[in-house]
Amino acid sequence: MEEQEYYVDELGVLSPSQMQVDELYAGEVGYMAASIRSVIDARVGDTITNSVKRAETALPGYEESTPMVFSGLFPVDADQFTEFRDALEKLQLNDASLKFEPESSSAMGFGFRCGFLGLLHMEIVQERLEREYNLNLITTAPSVVYRVQCTNGKMVECSNPSALPEPGQRQSIEEPFVKIELFTPKEYIGSLMELAQDRRGEFKEMKYMNENRASIVYELPLAEMAGDFFDQLKSRSKGYASMEYSFVDYRESQLIKLDIQINGETIDPLATIVHRDKAYSIGRALTQKLKELIPRQMFKFSIQACIGAKAIASETVSAIRKDVLAKCYGGDISRKKKLLKKQ
């Protein structure tokens, strides 16, 4: 554990405004001013002790918060990157659980890979960045931390699909599982159980809290919750159901990397790690949605979802112009160039 030393400038208590005192005794609640410039050096749960008569061990029971969900944030306007970085640093001053590191993409430019405690935390951070700092952001699909067992015996943690080792270098992939408890009126039990089963959930128990409300416990992959699970939960229960979840452990699963290629070029920010059984449906949905969003060009191009070199789903965006070369069978290249120039 890293130790930091600071000279205490002021001690005080809140009653209700700040009132300076000479000493603080056991059981008292107060504040300390020590010119600590970075919030990283004073996290919640840190033990403060005298530098001369220091404590032998830190107080037990406190752990540093670990991000569970990761997502890439990119400014729509590349000129806002500096403002975006400053905004993240300011936001981290009052939210030490926010983690971020620089990330670059050929498609989206420069941005940051951010770690959050959960999906709600991610939504709040994005909303605050856009409202308080007037930023316009693009968010990549949320992902979780996977553990990859490599063939050389090393264990690698991977939160970015583009950083996943090649298939020949990995032996297995483990994903985090969570225990989720759904609280719902009894008339929505069937619909919510169907939702959990579709998300690869393992049923554990169900109990009735009273004659009208029930509690359903499942264990399911965190990655399955990092999408529209909460929205579906509220939709299927007409807003009456609620949920809470806690991390359980890592388990080995049949996971693969799904790449998206546009006109033969792989787009790394659109890559995802999915279960093998769901690869086709997710790939088909992605290609169809991208076909709607990407504007037509003066040439025909394809959008493909690929596992390695194999395309499992494909959509073609037709050209916005007439194919004037359709009637040219062989012949000199100058004839084709003349037709294209005329067009």
Side-chain angles (χ1 to χ4, degrees), residues 58-71:
L59 291 173
Y62 297 98
E63 293 182 2
E64 187 176 339
S65 58
T66 304
M68 297 294 291
V69 176
F70 290 82
S71 179

Side-chain angles (χ1 to χ4, degrees), residues 181-195 205-218 232-244:
E181 190 168 4
L182 308 175
F183 304 97
T184 175
K186 62 180 183 181
E187 54 265 30
Y188 305 119
I189 290 176
S191 179
L192 296 189
M193 289 183 72
E194 181 186 2
L195 172 64
E205 65 172 334
M206 181 176 70
K207 55 188 176 183
Y208 279 88
M209 304 162 67
N210 53 45
E211 59 181 12
N212 293 319
R213 290 187 67 82
S215 166
I216 313 169
V217 179
Y218 272 87
Q232 287 287 331
L233 177 77
K234 290 296 184 182
S235 169
R236 296 188 181 213
S237 64
K238 298 181 181 177
Y240 285 105
S242 60
M243 64 175 231
E244 62 179 25

Side-chain angles (χ1 to χ4, degrees), residues 23-44:
E23 294 178 336
L24 284 173
Y25 296 94
E28 291 185 324
V29 178
Y31 68 88
M32 177 190 74
S35 301
I36 302 174
R37 298 193 177 190
S38 175
V39 71
I40 299 175
D41 295 337
R43 296 185 179 276
V44 175

Side-chain angles (χ1 to χ4, degrees), residues 125-264:
V125 168
Q126 182 184 356
E127 194 70 22
R128 287 189 63 184
L129 286 170
E130 292 180 345
R131 286 190 180 185
E132 297 177 17
Y133 300 97
N134 297 319
L135 296 172
N136 195 4
L137 302 175
I138 300 174
T139 308
T140 61
S143 63
V144 299
V145 180
Y146 297 93
R147 287 181 179 173
V148 184
Q149 184 69 46
C150 299
T151 52
N152 58 7
K154 291 184 178 180
M155 178 74 77
V156 179
E157 290 193 347
C158 177
S159 62
N160 193 341
S162 61
L164 193 70
E166 294 297 322
Q169 299 176 357
R170 58 179 188 254
Q171 185 175 339
S172 62
I173 304 178
E174 297 177 356
E175 62 179 337
F177 270 68
V178 294
K179 178 183 177 182
I180 180 171
E181 190 168 4
L182 308 175
F183 304 97
T184 175
K186 62 180 183 181
E187 54 265 30
Y188 305 119
I189 290 176
S191 179
L192 296 189
M193 289 183 72
E194 181 186 2
L195 172 64
Q197 293 290 147
D198 290 342
R199 301 302 175 94
R200 298 191 284 132
E202 299 177 9
F203 177 75
K204 292 300 178 183
E205 65 172 334
M206 181 176 70
K207 55 188 176 183
Y208 279 88
M209 304 162 67
N210 53 45
E211 59 181 12
N212 293 319
R213 290 187 67 82
S215 166
I216 313 169
V217 179
Y218 272 87
E219 286 185 3
L220 77 163
L222 178 61
E224 296 288 349
M225 282 183 53
D228 61 345
F229 185 87
F230 187 72
D231 294 338
Q232 287 287 331
L233 177 77
K234 290 296 184 182
S235 169
R236 296 188 181 213
S237 64
K238 298 181 181 177
Y240 285 105
S242 60
M243 64 175 231
E244 62 179 25
Y245 66 94
S246 58
F247 174 73
V248 180
D249 56 10
Y250 275 83
R251 300 177 189 176
E252 185 177 337
S253 299
Q254 295 293 320
L255 300 173
I256 54 175
K257 179 184 175 185
L258 183 68
D259 288 314
I260 299 296
Q261 292 186 355
I262 299 178
N263 202 26

